[in-house]
Amino acid sequence: MPAISKVLSTGAAVVALSLAFIATAEADGKLQEVLARGKLIVGTGSTNPPWGFQDKGGKLVGFDIDLAHIIAKGLFNDPAKVEFVTQSSDARIPNITTGQVDMTCQAMTVTAPRAQQVAFTIPYYREGVALLLKKGGKYADHAALKAAGAGVTVSVLQNVYAEDMVHQALPDAKVDQFDNVGLMYQALNSGRADAAATDASSLRWFMKQNPDRYVDAGYGWNPQNYACAVKQGDADWLNFVNTAIEQALTGVDYGDYKTAYETWFGVTPPAPAIGFPR
């Protein structure tokens, strides 16, 4: 019996030690967990240029990828210390809440209902809808399109909101919906459509790939903020990620953000003003 009691006592001590270790790890929080692990784990996409996609060599690239490298640099002074978990858009929230990833950066629109499930960081990009035109085409800009009224046809990716969305910018235009982006652009190229309504980020990326063929109509609408997301309940981790993103937008890491912005959107973002913080 004494031997059995000793075994039971030893087993209980091991369990207690394990529970204490787990409790300590949880108390330390995600920031200390990531630092101890030595790498950041980020959920992102792999089929959505310019945010996250595979280049010709199969390497994962894009604006969200560059942002994750900036955050890894803040953690480890080494932007390479990040592991990417490619995921579908409907896995963005579940993978955070179940702890599969430390954070998600995946062209994720901030909404109040989503904020009940995850904690959003400060926004790093404001998305919207824009109108792509052929260079030298019949209509020079949004004002010309609007003046033409029902004589204008706009191609757009098919969804239940497409027609109402286009009519917010061009109330009288005809709307031609397509089930993939390639066909939407093909309609513009063939003259079947006078303009293509698409995400502003996609428009900038497409124009960067085809600088002599297309122009921006100069009008954007339907704004929405993109932000990364982390699990709720860990203020230190959220504060760190917010700090890293804020310094990329307006502080010491602005050079990295500027380079990424120019690479994927073909334009230079406004430089942070020196003086009183905005």
Side-chain angles (χ1 to χ4, degrees), residues 42-45 48 50-52 62-68 70-71 84 87 92 103-110 114 119-127 201 204 224-230 241-250 254 256-258 260-261 264-265 269-270 278:
V42 177
T44 194
N48 184 25
W51 298 102
F63 191 86
D64 281 333
I65 309 308
D66 287 348
L67 185 65
I70 290 172
I71 295 168
F84 293 101
Q87 57 190 17
R92 292 178 296 188
M103 59 187 297
T104 280
C105 290
Q106 193 176 350
M108 191 173 181
T109 302
V110 178
R114 286 175 174 172
F120 281 109
T121 66
I122 59 172
Y124 59 87
Y125 184 83
R126 178 161 293 144
E127 186 62 279
S201 60
R204 288 172 176 166
Q224 50 188 290
N225 290 321
Y226 283 173
C228 299
V230 301
V241 179
N242 275 337
T243 300
I245 293 175
E246 183 178 34
Q247 293 316 301
L249 292 171
T250 64
Y254 172 72
D256 294 333
Y257 182 87
K258 174 176 177 286
Y261 204 97
W264 304 113
F265 303 133
R278 63 177 181 179

Side-chain angles (χ1 to χ4, degrees), residues 5-106:
S5 298
K6 185 176 181 180
V7 170
L8 290 174
S9 298
T10 303
V14 170
V15 170
L17 186 62
S18 298
L19 290 174
F21 177 81
I22 292 170
T24 300
E26 289 177 347
D28 286 342
K30 176 62 73 172
L31 177 57
Q32 297 306 316
E33 176 189 331
V34 173
L35 290 171
R37 185 198 302 135
K39 66 179 178 180
L40 173 68
I41 301 175
V42 177
T44 194
S46 60
T47 59
N48 184 25
W51 298 102
F53 65 105
Q54 292 183 326
D55 65 12
K56 293 180 180 178
K59 181 182 178 182
L60 193 62
V61 297
F63 191 86
D64 281 333
I65 309 308
D66 287 348
L67 185 65
H69 285 301
I70 290 172
I71 295 168
K73 178 184 174 183
L75 285 162
F76 307 107
N77 198 30
D78 184 349
K81 289 189 174 182
V82 53
E83 175 185 324
F84 293 101
V85 175
T86 56
Q87 57 190 17
S88 61
S89 59
D90 60 3
R92 292 178 296 188
I93 289 177
N95 280 354
I96 295 171
T97 58
T98 60
Q100 300 300 307
V101 298
D102 300 321
M103 59 187 297
T104 280
C105 290
Q106 193 176 350

